[in-house]
Amino acid sequence: MFVTEKLRTQHDRTVEEISTAVSKFHQRGQKFRIRHGSTNSTRQTATKGKHFVDTGPLSSILEVDKDRQTCLVEPNVPMDHLVKSTLAHGLVPLVVMEFPGITVGGGFSGTSAESSSFKYGVFERTINYIEIVLANGEIAHCSEDEHQDLFHGAAGAMGTLGVVTLLEVQLRPAKSYVETSYHPVTSIAEAIETMKNFTADMSIDYLDGILFTQNQGAIIVGRLTDSTKENEPPRTFSKAKDPWFYLHAQEIIHSQPNATSTELLPLVEYLFRYDRGAFWAARWAFDYFKTPFNSLTRRLLDSLMHTRVLYKAQDASSLSATYYIAQDLSLLFPHSGDLINHCTQTCNIWPLWLCPLKPTPHPTINPFPASGHGASELLLNVGIWGPAPTKRRSEFVAINRDLEAKLSVLGGMKALYAHTFYSESEFWKIYDRQWYDALREKYGATSLPSVYEKVKGDLGAKRGIRDRVLDVRPLGGAYGVLKAVRYRYSDEYRQIRRASPT
Protein backbone atom coordinates (compact mmCIF):
# COMPACT_ATOMS: atom_id res chain seq x y z
CA MET A 1 0.00 0.00 0.00
CA PHE A 2 1.21 3.49 -0.67
CA VAL A 3 -0.28 6.80 0.34
CA THR A 4 1.48 10.08 1.01
CA GLU A 5 0.37 12.70 3.49
CA LYS A 6 1.20 15.37 0.91
CA LEU A 7 -1.17 13.88 -1.68
CA ARG A 8 -3.96 13.46 0.85
CA THR A 9 -3.53 17.01 2.16
CA GLN A 10 -3.55 18.39 -1.38
CA HIS A 11 -6.66 16.36 -2.19
CA ASP A 12 -8.54 17.64 0.84
CA ARG A 13 -7.54 21.23 0.04
CA THR A 14 -8.73 20.91 -3.56
CA VAL A 15 -12.03 19.36 -2.51
CA GLU A 16 -12.61 22.20 -0.04
CA GLU A 17 -12.04 24.70 -2.86
CA ILE A 18 -14.53 22.85 -5.05
CA SER A 19 -17.00 22.71 -2.18
CA THR A 20 -16.71 26.48 -1.67
CA ALA A 21 -17.22 27.18 -5.39
CA VAL A 22 -20.25 24.89 -5.55
CA SER A 23 -21.72 26.46 -2.43
CA LYS A 24 -21.52 29.92 -4.00
CA PHE A 25 -23.37 28.75 -7.12
CA HIS A 26 -25.98 27.19 -4.85
CA GLN A 27 -26.46 30.40 -2.87
CA ARG A 28 -26.96 32.36 -6.11
CA GLY A 29 -29.33 29.73 -7.50
CA GLN A 30 -27.17 29.32 -10.61
CA LYS A 31 -26.74 26.10 -12.56
CA PHE A 32 -23.16 25.10 -13.30
CA ARG A 33 -21.23 22.48 -15.22
CA ILE A 34 -18.06 20.59 -14.40
CA ARG A 35 -14.84 21.31 -16.28
CA HIS A 36 -12.44 18.39 -15.92
CA GLY A 37 -10.02 19.00 -18.76
CA SER A 38 -10.64 16.03 -21.08
CA THR A 39 -13.45 14.10 -22.69
CA ASN A 40 -13.98 10.92 -24.68
CA SER A 41 -17.62 11.77 -25.36
CA THR A 42 -18.80 12.01 -28.96
CA ARG A 43 -21.37 14.62 -27.97
CA GLN A 44 -20.68 18.29 -28.55
CA THR A 45 -20.20 19.68 -25.04
CA ALA A 46 -20.35 23.19 -23.63
CA THR A 47 -16.87 24.44 -22.81
CA LYS A 48 -17.25 28.20 -22.57
CA GLY A 49 -18.78 30.51 -20.01
CA LYS A 50 -18.30 31.38 -16.35
CA HIS A 51 -20.61 28.86 -14.70
CA PHE A 52 -18.10 26.04 -14.29
CA VAL A 53 -16.46 24.22 -11.42
CA ASP A 54 -12.90 23.18 -12.25
CA THR A 55 -11.97 19.67 -11.11
CA GLY A 56 -8.85 19.48 -13.28
CA PRO A 57 -6.37 19.27 -10.35
CA LEU A 58 -7.98 16.01 -9.13
CA SER A 59 -5.65 13.75 -11.11
CA SER A 60 -3.69 11.68 -8.58
CA ILE A 61 -3.70 8.10 -7.34
CA LEU A 62 -3.72 8.38 -3.56
CA GLU A 63 -3.41 4.73 -2.57
CA VAL A 64 -2.97 1.20 -3.88
CA ASP A 65 -3.88 -1.39 -1.24
CA LYS A 66 -2.44 -4.73 -2.32
CA ASP A 67 -4.04 -6.65 0.56
CA ARG A 68 -7.57 -5.36 -0.08
CA GLN A 69 -7.01 -5.25 -3.86
CA THR A 70 -8.31 -1.71 -4.17
CA CYS A 71 -6.99 1.69 -5.17
CA LEU A 72 -8.07 5.18 -4.14
CA VAL A 73 -8.20 7.40 -7.20
CA GLU A 74 -9.12 10.96 -8.06
CA PRO A 75 -11.57 11.30 -10.96
CA ASN A 76 -9.23 12.74 -13.61
CA VAL A 77 -6.76 9.85 -13.55
CA PRO A 78 -6.73 8.30 -17.04
CA MET A 79 -6.92 4.55 -17.46
CA ASP A 80 -3.38 4.03 -18.77
CA HIS A 81 -1.90 5.83 -15.76
CA LEU A 82 -4.12 3.82 -13.41
CA VAL A 83 -3.11 0.54 -15.02
CA LYS A 84 0.57 1.45 -14.85
CA SER A 85 0.29 2.18 -11.12
CA THR A 86 -1.69 -0.93 -10.24
CA LEU A 87 0.52 -3.24 -12.31
CA ALA A 88 3.46 -2.11 -10.20
CA HIS A 89 1.66 -3.96 -7.39
CA GLY A 90 0.71 -6.98 -9.53
CA LEU A 91 -2.92 -5.84 -9.83
CA VAL A 92 -5.25 -4.60 -12.55
CA PRO A 93 -8.76 -3.04 -12.47
CA LEU A 94 -11.66 -5.43 -13.07
CA VAL A 95 -12.92 -3.29 -15.95
CA VAL A 96 -10.49 -1.23 -18.02
CA MET A 97 -11.82 1.21 -20.58
CA GLU A 98 -10.15 0.44 -23.89
CA PHE A 99 -9.17 4.04 -24.66
CA PRO A 100 -6.24 5.01 -22.42
CA GLY A 101 -7.36 8.62 -22.02
CA ILE A 102 -10.77 7.81 -20.52
CA THR A 103 -10.68 8.87 -16.90
CA VAL A 104 -11.88 7.03 -13.82
CA GLY A 105 -14.46 9.73 -13.17
CA GLY A 106 -15.60 9.68 -16.78
CA GLY A 107 -16.07 5.92 -16.65
CA PHE A 108 -18.15 6.22 -13.48
CA SER A 109 -20.29 9.19 -14.49
CA GLY A 110 -20.60 8.43 -18.19
CA THR A 111 -21.09 4.63 -18.50
CA SER A 112 -18.32 2.35 -19.78
CA ALA A 113 -18.82 -1.24 -20.89
CA GLU A 114 -15.71 -3.16 -21.90
CA SER A 115 -14.69 -6.72 -22.73
CA SER A 116 -14.74 -7.86 -19.09
CA SER A 117 -18.23 -6.40 -18.54
CA PHE A 118 -19.95 -9.74 -19.16
CA LYS A 119 -18.52 -10.75 -15.76
CA TYR A 120 -18.44 -7.48 -13.84
CA GLY A 121 -20.88 -5.13 -15.54
CA VAL A 122 -20.10 -1.52 -16.45
CA PHE A 123 -17.18 0.23 -14.78
CA GLU A 124 -19.33 1.77 -12.02
CA ARG A 125 -20.10 -1.72 -10.69
CA THR A 126 -16.43 -2.08 -9.72
CA ILE A 127 -16.44 1.01 -7.49
CA ASN A 128 -16.64 0.48 -3.71
CA TYR A 129 -17.37 4.04 -2.71
CA ILE A 130 -17.20 7.63 -3.88
CA GLU A 131 -16.59 11.02 -2.31
CA ILE A 132 -18.93 13.61 -3.81
CA VAL A 133 -19.55 17.32 -3.38
CA LEU A 134 -23.30 17.82 -3.32
CA ALA A 135 -24.93 20.73 -5.12
CA ASN A 136 -25.12 22.74 -1.90
CA GLY A 137 -21.38 22.33 -1.27
CA GLU A 138 -21.65 19.58 1.33
CA ILE A 139 -19.06 16.78 1.07
CA ALA A 140 -20.54 13.28 1.31
CA HIS A 141 -19.29 9.69 1.11
CA CYS A 142 -21.47 7.15 -0.71
CA SER A 143 -21.34 3.36 -0.83
CA GLU A 144 -23.58 0.33 -0.43
CA ASP A 145 -23.71 1.20 3.29
CA GLU A 146 -23.94 5.00 3.19
CA HIS A 147 -26.18 7.12 0.94
CA GLN A 148 -26.76 4.00 -1.14
CA ASP A 149 -29.39 5.70 -3.31
CA LEU A 150 -26.96 8.45 -4.31
CA PHE A 151 -24.14 5.95 -4.80
CA HIS A 152 -26.18 4.12 -7.45
CA GLY A 153 -27.85 7.24 -8.80
CA ALA A 154 -24.65 9.19 -9.45
CA ALA A 155 -23.28 6.36 -11.62
CA GLY A 156 -23.99 7.17 -15.25
CA ALA A 157 -25.76 10.44 -14.34
CA MET A 158 -23.21 12.67 -16.10
CA GLY A 159 -22.33 14.64 -12.98
CA THR A 160 -25.89 15.89 -12.53
CA LEU A 161 -26.22 14.81 -8.89
CA GLY A 162 -22.96 16.27 -7.62
CA VAL A 163 -19.21 16.54 -8.25
CA VAL A 164 -17.40 13.23 -7.75
CA THR A 165 -13.98 13.89 -6.20
CA LEU A 166 -12.65 10.45 -5.18
CA LEU A 167 -13.36 6.80 -5.98
CA GLU A 168 -12.22 3.46 -4.58
CA VAL A 169 -11.72 1.03 -7.47
CA GLN A 170 -11.70 -2.76 -7.16
CA LEU A 171 -8.65 -4.61 -8.49
CA ARG A 172 -7.70 -8.21 -9.22
CA PRO A 173 -4.39 -10.07 -9.62
CA ALA A 174 -2.80 -9.37 -12.97
CA LYS A 175 -0.89 -11.70 -15.24
CA SER A 176 1.67 -10.97 -17.91
CA TYR A 177 -0.36 -11.84 -20.99
CA VAL A 178 -3.81 -12.33 -22.42
CA GLU A 179 -4.21 -15.49 -24.47
CA THR A 180 -6.40 -14.14 -27.26
CA SER A 181 -8.48 -16.42 -29.47
CA TYR A 182 -10.28 -15.40 -32.65
CA HIS A 183 -13.38 -17.44 -33.46
CA PRO A 184 -14.69 -16.87 -37.02
CA VAL A 185 -18.44 -16.46 -37.57
CA THR A 186 -20.25 -16.20 -40.88
CA SER A 187 -23.57 -14.59 -39.98
CA ILE A 188 -25.17 -12.19 -37.53
CA ALA A 189 -27.11 -15.04 -35.92
CA GLU A 190 -23.99 -17.17 -35.49
CA ALA A 191 -22.10 -14.25 -33.95
CA ILE A 192 -24.84 -13.66 -31.38
CA GLU A 193 -25.22 -17.34 -30.53
CA THR A 194 -21.46 -17.92 -30.26
CA MET A 195 -21.01 -14.94 -27.99
CA LYS A 196 -23.94 -15.92 -25.78
CA ASN A 197 -22.46 -19.40 -25.36
CA PHE A 198 -19.09 -17.97 -24.32
CA THR A 199 -20.67 -15.78 -21.62
CA ALA A 200 -21.42 -18.95 -19.61
CA ASP A 201 -17.71 -19.84 -19.40
CA MET A 202 -16.34 -18.14 -16.29
CA SER A 203 -12.78 -19.21 -17.12
CA ILE A 204 -12.87 -16.45 -19.74
CA ASP A 205 -11.61 -13.05 -18.58
CA TYR A 206 -12.41 -10.93 -21.64
CA LEU A 207 -15.00 -11.26 -24.39
CA ASP A 208 -16.00 -9.04 -27.30
CA GLY A 209 -16.68 -9.35 -31.01
CA ILE A 210 -16.41 -7.55 -34.33
CA LEU A 211 -18.87 -7.93 -37.19
CA PHE A 212 -17.02 -6.83 -40.32
CA THR A 213 -20.01 -7.53 -42.59
CA GLN A 214 -23.25 -9.46 -42.39
CA ASN A 215 -21.30 -12.57 -43.37
CA GLN A 216 -17.96 -12.15 -41.63
CA GLY A 217 -17.03 -11.59 -38.02
CA ALA A 218 -14.85 -12.65 -35.12
CA ILE A 219 -15.75 -13.44 -31.54
CA ILE A 220 -12.63 -12.64 -29.51
CA VAL A 221 -11.93 -14.47 -26.27
CA GLY A 222 -9.23 -13.48 -23.78
CA ARG A 223 -7.77 -15.40 -20.84
CA LEU A 224 -5.13 -14.06 -18.48
CA THR A 225 -1.97 -16.16 -18.39
CA ASP A 226 1.70 -16.10 -17.42
CA SER A 227 2.60 -18.85 -19.88
CA THR A 228 4.50 -18.10 -23.06
CA LYS A 229 4.75 -19.99 -26.31
CA GLU A 230 8.11 -21.14 -27.63
CA ASN A 231 9.16 -19.48 -30.88
CA GLU A 232 6.06 -17.30 -30.86
CA PRO A 233 6.71 -13.73 -29.65
CA PRO A 234 3.75 -11.85 -28.16
CA ARG A 235 1.80 -9.66 -30.58
CA THR A 236 1.80 -5.88 -30.07
CA PHE A 237 -0.45 -3.12 -31.42
CA SER A 238 0.97 0.10 -29.95
CA LYS A 239 3.89 0.76 -32.31
CA ALA A 240 3.68 2.63 -35.62
CA LYS A 241 4.79 -0.49 -37.49
CA ASP A 242 2.10 -2.64 -35.83
CA PRO A 243 -1.27 -3.27 -37.48
CA TRP A 244 -4.45 -1.76 -36.09
CA PHE A 245 -6.12 -4.42 -33.98
CA TYR A 246 -9.35 -4.69 -35.94
CA LEU A 247 -7.48 -5.06 -39.23
CA HIS A 248 -5.31 -7.75 -37.67
CA ALA A 249 -8.40 -9.63 -36.44
CA GLN A 250 -9.99 -9.38 -39.88
CA GLU A 251 -6.85 -10.68 -41.57
CA ILE A 252 -6.74 -13.65 -39.20
CA ILE A 253 -10.29 -14.80 -39.91
CA HIS A 254 -9.87 -14.10 -43.63
CA SER A 255 -6.79 -16.32 -43.80
CA GLN A 256 -8.30 -19.02 -41.54
CA PRO A 257 -12.08 -18.79 -41.97
CA ASN A 258 -12.78 -22.24 -40.55
CA ALA A 259 -10.37 -22.41 -37.62
CA THR A 260 -9.80 -20.71 -34.30
CA SER A 261 -6.52 -18.82 -34.07
CA THR A 262 -4.78 -18.03 -30.80
CA GLU A 263 -1.93 -15.69 -29.91
CA LEU A 264 -0.44 -13.98 -26.85
CA LEU A 265 -0.82 -10.27 -26.20
CA PRO A 266 1.02 -8.52 -23.35
CA LEU A 267 -1.66 -7.43 -20.88
CA VAL A 268 -1.30 -3.69 -21.49
CA GLU A 269 -1.29 -4.24 -25.25
CA TYR A 270 -4.56 -6.15 -24.93
CA LEU A 271 -6.23 -3.62 -22.65
CA PHE A 272 -5.55 -0.72 -25.03
CA ARG A 273 -5.59 -2.67 -28.30
CA TYR A 274 -8.20 -0.37 -29.85
CA ASP A 275 -6.33 2.87 -29.08
CA ARG A 276 -4.70 3.25 -32.48
CA GLY A 277 -7.48 4.03 -34.91
CA ALA A 278 -10.09 4.40 -32.13
CA PHE A 279 -11.43 0.92 -32.91
CA TRP A 280 -11.86 1.75 -36.64
CA ALA A 281 -13.25 5.29 -36.42
CA ALA A 282 -10.06 6.89 -37.75
CA ARG A 283 -10.49 4.96 -40.99
CA TRP A 284 -13.20 7.43 -41.98
CA ALA A 285 -10.78 10.35 -41.66
CA PHE A 286 -8.83 8.84 -44.56
CA ASP A 287 -12.03 8.70 -46.61
CA TYR A 288 -12.97 12.25 -45.63
CA PHE A 289 -9.65 13.61 -46.92
CA LYS A 290 -9.59 11.18 -49.87
CA THR A 291 -6.33 9.72 -48.60
CA PRO A 292 -5.28 6.15 -49.42
CA PHE A 293 -5.89 3.79 -46.50
CA ASN A 294 -2.98 1.37 -46.37
CA SER A 295 -0.16 0.29 -44.08
CA LEU A 296 2.17 3.03 -45.37
CA THR A 297 -0.23 5.94 -44.82
CA ARG A 298 -1.28 4.58 -41.45
CA ARG A 299 2.36 4.39 -40.40
CA LEU A 300 3.19 7.87 -41.69
CA LEU A 301 0.21 9.37 -39.86
CA ASP A 302 0.52 7.21 -36.77
CA SER A 303 1.24 10.10 -34.40
CA LEU A 304 -2.28 11.42 -35.12
CA MET A 305 -4.01 8.04 -34.90
CA HIS A 306 -4.16 7.60 -31.11
CA THR A 307 -7.44 8.28 -29.36
CA ARG A 308 -6.30 11.22 -27.25
CA VAL A 309 -5.27 13.07 -30.39
CA LEU A 310 -8.26 11.91 -32.44
CA TYR A 311 -10.70 13.26 -29.87
CA LYS A 312 -9.06 16.68 -30.12
CA ALA A 313 -9.68 16.60 -33.87
CA GLN A 314 -13.27 15.48 -33.38
CA ASP A 315 -14.07 18.14 -30.80
CA ALA A 316 -12.65 20.92 -32.97
CA SER A 317 -14.19 19.81 -36.26
CA SER A 318 -17.83 19.41 -35.09
CA LEU A 319 -18.12 16.53 -37.56
CA SER A 320 -19.64 14.26 -34.95
CA ALA A 321 -22.66 16.58 -34.84
CA THR A 322 -23.42 16.32 -38.56
CA TYR A 323 -21.46 13.53 -40.18
CA TYR A 324 -20.49 10.71 -37.86
CA ILE A 325 -22.93 8.36 -36.15
CA ALA A 326 -21.77 7.18 -32.72
CA GLN A 327 -24.20 4.98 -30.84
CA ASP A 328 -23.83 2.28 -28.20
CA LEU A 329 -27.13 0.41 -27.97
CA SER A 330 -27.75 -2.28 -25.35
CA LEU A 331 -30.52 -4.85 -25.40
CA LEU A 332 -31.25 -8.49 -24.64
CA PHE A 333 -29.51 -11.09 -26.77
CA PRO A 334 -32.71 -12.46 -28.40
CA HIS A 335 -33.56 -9.01 -29.80
CA SER A 336 -30.07 -7.97 -30.89
CA GLY A 337 -30.28 -9.59 -34.33
CA ASP A 338 -33.36 -7.47 -35.12
CA LEU A 339 -31.46 -4.33 -34.16
CA ILE A 340 -28.40 -5.21 -36.23
CA ASN A 341 -30.52 -6.05 -39.27
CA HIS A 342 -32.38 -2.77 -38.86
CA CYS A 343 -29.10 -0.90 -38.62
CA THR A 344 -27.98 -2.57 -41.86
CA GLN A 345 -31.07 -1.27 -43.64
CA THR A 346 -30.92 2.19 -42.06
CA CYS A 347 -27.28 3.20 -42.27
CA ASN A 348 -25.28 0.13 -43.41
CA ILE A 349 -22.30 0.92 -41.17
CA TRP A 350 -19.58 -1.71 -40.74
CA PRO A 351 -17.78 -2.92 -38.71
CA LEU A 352 -19.99 -3.21 -35.63
CA TRP A 353 -18.68 -3.87 -32.13
CA LEU A 354 -20.34 -6.50 -29.93
CA CYS A 355 -19.84 -6.46 -26.17
CA PRO A 356 -21.85 -8.62 -23.72
CA LEU A 357 -22.84 -6.78 -20.60
CA LYS A 358 -23.96 -7.77 -17.13
CA PRO A 359 -26.87 -5.36 -16.50
CA THR A 360 -26.96 -2.77 -13.76
CA PRO A 361 -29.77 -3.30 -11.24
CA HIS A 362 -32.66 -0.87 -11.50
CA PRO A 363 -33.09 2.00 -10.67
CA THR A 364 -30.26 3.41 -12.76
CA ILE A 365 -29.48 5.68 -15.69
CA ASN A 366 -27.25 2.94 -17.10
CA PRO A 367 -28.62 0.33 -19.56
CA PHE A 368 -30.80 -2.38 -18.04
CA PRO A 369 -33.55 -4.59 -19.51
CA ALA A 370 -36.94 -2.91 -19.56
CA SER A 371 -39.50 -4.25 -17.09
CA GLY A 372 -40.88 -7.56 -18.28
CA HIS A 373 -37.91 -8.25 -20.57
CA GLY A 374 -35.79 -10.36 -18.23
CA ALA A 375 -34.16 -8.02 -15.74
CA SER A 376 -31.42 -10.50 -14.75
CA GLU A 377 -30.37 -11.53 -18.27
CA LEU A 378 -27.19 -10.40 -19.96
CA LEU A 379 -27.36 -7.57 -22.47
CA LEU A 380 -25.52 -7.24 -25.75
CA ASN A 381 -24.08 -3.82 -26.48
CA VAL A 382 -23.88 -2.98 -30.19
CA GLY A 383 -21.42 -0.23 -31.07
CA ILE A 384 -22.40 1.62 -34.25
CA TRP A 385 -19.68 4.05 -35.27
CA GLY A 386 -19.30 5.42 -38.76
CA PRO A 387 -20.25 8.11 -41.27
CA ALA A 388 -23.94 8.66 -41.90
CA PRO A 389 -25.17 7.85 -45.43
CA THR A 390 -26.20 11.48 -45.90
CA LYS A 391 -24.75 14.97 -45.83
CA ARG A 392 -27.98 16.62 -44.73
CA ARG A 393 -28.28 17.55 -41.08
CA SER A 394 -32.02 16.79 -41.00
CA GLU A 395 -31.46 13.29 -42.42
CA PHE A 396 -28.57 12.70 -40.01
CA VAL A 397 -30.88 13.47 -37.08
CA ALA A 398 -33.64 11.30 -38.60
CA ILE A 399 -31.32 8.28 -38.85
CA ASN A 400 -30.28 8.62 -35.22
CA ARG A 401 -33.87 9.01 -34.09
CA ASP A 402 -34.84 5.96 -36.09
CA LEU A 403 -32.17 3.89 -34.32
CA GLU A 404 -33.36 5.19 -30.95
CA ALA A 405 -36.98 4.36 -31.78
CA LYS A 406 -36.10 0.82 -32.88
CA LEU A 407 -34.08 0.29 -29.70
CA SER A 408 -37.06 1.39 -27.58
CA VAL A 409 -39.40 -0.99 -29.39
CA LEU A 410 -36.96 -3.82 -28.66
CA GLY A 411 -36.80 -2.94 -24.96
CA GLY A 412 -33.20 -1.69 -25.00
CA MET A 413 -31.35 1.35 -23.68
CA LYS A 414 -28.39 3.35 -24.89
CA ALA A 415 -25.23 4.71 -23.34
CA LEU A 416 -25.65 8.46 -22.97
CA TYR A 417 -22.06 9.44 -23.77
CA ALA A 418 -23.03 9.32 -27.44
CA HIS A 419 -25.55 11.14 -29.63
CA THR A 420 -28.98 11.48 -28.01
CA PHE A 421 -31.84 12.85 -30.07
CA TYR A 422 -34.85 11.93 -27.97
CA SER A 423 -37.35 14.66 -27.23
CA GLU A 424 -37.63 15.30 -23.51
CA SER A 425 -40.91 13.38 -23.25
CA GLU A 426 -39.44 10.43 -25.18
CA PHE A 427 -36.35 10.44 -22.97
CA TRP A 428 -38.30 10.23 -19.73
CA LYS A 429 -40.47 7.40 -21.02
CA ILE A 430 -37.28 5.32 -21.12
CA TYR A 431 -35.41 6.60 -18.05
CA ASP A 432 -37.01 6.70 -14.60
CA ARG A 433 -37.81 10.37 -14.09
CA GLN A 434 -39.67 9.90 -10.81
CA TRP A 435 -36.69 8.16 -9.21
CA TYR A 436 -34.17 10.60 -10.72
CA ASP A 437 -36.07 13.76 -9.78
CA ALA A 438 -36.60 12.46 -6.25
CA LEU A 439 -32.83 12.03 -5.90
CA ARG A 440 -32.21 15.55 -7.20
CA GLU A 441 -34.67 16.95 -4.70
CA LYS A 442 -33.34 14.89 -1.79
CA TYR A 443 -29.72 15.91 -2.40
CA GLY A 444 -30.42 19.48 -3.54
CA ALA A 445 -29.16 18.89 -7.08
CA THR A 446 -31.85 20.89 -8.90
CA SER A 447 -29.30 23.70 -9.33
CA LEU A 448 -27.34 21.40 -11.64
CA PRO A 449 -28.29 20.70 -15.26
CA SER A 450 -30.45 17.59 -15.55
CA VAL A 451 -29.14 14.52 -17.31
CA TYR A 452 -31.42 15.27 -20.26
CA GLU A 453 -30.05 18.81 -20.48
CA LYS A 454 -26.53 17.40 -20.49
CA VAL A 455 -27.03 14.83 -23.24
CA LYS A 456 -29.77 16.16 -25.54
CA GLY A 457 -28.88 16.64 -29.17
CA ASP A 458 -29.68 19.69 -31.27
CA LEU A 459 -33.01 18.71 -32.82
CA GLY A 460 -33.79 21.86 -34.74
CA ALA A 461 -31.98 24.97 -33.56
CA LYS A 462 -30.12 26.93 -36.21
CA ARG A 463 -26.40 26.27 -36.28
CA GLY A 464 -24.12 29.24 -35.75
CA ILE A 465 -21.85 30.74 -38.40
CA ARG A 466 -18.80 28.89 -37.06
CA ASP A 467 -20.55 25.53 -37.22
CA ARG A 468 -21.89 26.19 -40.71
CA VAL A 469 -18.42 27.15 -41.93
CA LEU A 470 -16.94 23.99 -40.42
CA ASP A 471 -19.66 21.96 -42.13
CA VAL A 472 -18.08 22.90 -45.48
CA ARG A 473 -15.81 20.11 -46.56
CA PRO A 474 -12.87 19.98 -45.91
CA LEU A 475 -12.77 23.04 -43.62
CA GLY A 476 -14.10 21.24 -40.54
CA GLY A 477 -11.76 18.31 -40.95
CA ALA A 478 -8.77 20.55 -41.66
CA TYR A 479 -9.46 22.63 -38.56
CA GLY A 480 -9.73 19.44 -36.53
CA VAL A 481 -6.37 18.21 -37.87
CA LEU A 482 -4.74 21.55 -37.01
CA LYS A 483 -5.97 21.32 -33.43
CA ALA A 484 -4.89 17.67 -33.21
CA VAL A 485 -1.36 18.43 -34.48
CA ARG A 486 -0.95 21.28 -32.02
CA TYR A 487 -2.06 19.02 -29.18
CA ARG A 488 0.09 16.08 -30.34
CA TYR A 489 3.24 18.18 -30.06
CA SER A 490 2.27 20.05 -26.89
CA ASP A 491 4.01 19.74 -23.54
CA GLU A 492 0.74 18.43 -22.08
CA TYR A 493 0.65 15.47 -24.46
CA ARG A 494 4.35 14.68 -23.99
CA GLN A 495 3.88 14.56 -20.23
CA ILE A 496 0.87 12.26 -20.58
CA ARG A 497 2.73 9.89 -22.88
CA ARG A 498 5.74 9.71 -20.56
CA ALA A 499 3.47 8.43 -17.81
CA SER A 500 1.73 5.88 -20.06
CA PRO A 501 2.69 2.19 -19.98
CA THR A 502 2.43 1.82 -23.79
Side-chain angles (χ1 to χ4, degrees), residues 281-324:
R283 168 185 171 181
W284 311 118
F286 288 79
D287 291 348
Y288 177 89
F289 288 109
K290 302 186 184 302
T291 301
F293 183 72
N294 55 48
S295 58
L296 176 61
T297 55
R298 289 192 296 274
R299 185 165 185 172
L300 291 173
L301 296 171
D302 184 71
S303 63
L304 301 179
M305 294 294 109
H306 296 256
T307 49
R308 280 188 172 97
V309 179
L310 289 167
Y311 271 106
K312 291 293 182 182
Q314 172 201 273
D315 292 344
S317 70
S318 297
L319 292 177
S320 66
T322 57
Y323 171 76
Y324 190 83

Side-chain angles (χ1 to χ4, degrees), residues 434-471:
Q434 183 176 0
W435 160 77
Y436 175 74
D437 283 350
L439 272 181
R440 281 168 63 81
E441 288 288 341
K442 179 178 178 180
Y443 292 101
T446 53
S447 61
L448 296 172
S450 73
V451 68
Y452 179 73
E453 290 175 314
K454 288 288 291 287
V455 306
K456 66 179 179 179
D458 176 7
L459 294 177
K462 290 185 178 179
R463 291 168 63 76
I465 293 175
R466 176 187 178 279
D467 289 332
R468 282 182 283 166
V469 169
L470 293 179
D471 285 346

